[in-house]
Amino acid sequence: AVVSTQSTGEHEAELKLAKILLRFPEVIEEVTETLQPHTLCNYLYDISTVFTYFYDKCYCIERNRETGELVKIHMDRLLLCEASAQVMEKCFDLLGIKTVS
């Protein structure tokens, strides 16, 4: 199997997800300045919507449809998945919502 470690940005969903994750510090700053936690809820909704689109359009692990053999692993996309999970977990924690392990 080929392991891809460089981000090719071959799909617009990758860039869109990365951009929304990079907004995390500014969203936290806004919440602390305005004391409006619903901003964090809106941000979580945005992440989940964009992540769902990304997950639907961008394969992290590609397999041969006939043999099931592993063809390619997109490490950059797997890292986007991990970053999404970490940001969402932190947001839930700030809202006092426990996540499932």
Side-chain angles (χ1 to χ4, degrees):
V2 175
V3 177
S4 168
T5 56
Q6 287 186 318
S7 176
T8 59
E10 58 190 49
H11 199 282
E12 50 111 5
E14 294 171 293
L15 185 57
K16 194 171 184 178
L17 181 57
K19 283 182 176 179
I20 201 163
L21 293 173
L22 288 172
R23 286 186 34 225
F24 181 62
E26 94 183 35
V27 170
I28 295 302
E29 185 177 338
E30 181 182 344
V31 169
T32 56
E33 287 176 358
T34 63
L35 299 177
Q36 296 178 340
H38 72 277
T39 305
L40 200 53
C41 297
N42 292 337
Y43 179 62
L44 274 165
Y45 178 79
D46 292 344
I47 293 173
S48 62
T49 302
V50 172
F51 182 81
T52 300
Y53 178 73
F54 163 80
Y55 187 78
D56 186 48
K57 300 294 179 186
C58 301
Y59 293 111
C60 295
I61 299 172
E62 294 181 33
R63 294 188 176 273
N64 182 309
R65 291 179 189 245
E66 294 174 10
T67 64
E69 184 179 321
L70 198 57
V71 175
K72 188 172 186 181
I73 300 171
H74 296 272
M75 291 303 293
D76 55 330
R77 291 177 178 176
L78 287 173
L79 290 172
L80 272 174
C81 292
E82 179 63 27
S84 299
Q86 289 178 0
V87 169
M88 292 180 80
E89 183 176 14
K90 188 63 179 171
C91 290
F92 286 131
D93 184 53
L94 290 169
L95 292 167
I97 300 170
K98 295 188 188 301
T99 57
V100 177
S101 299

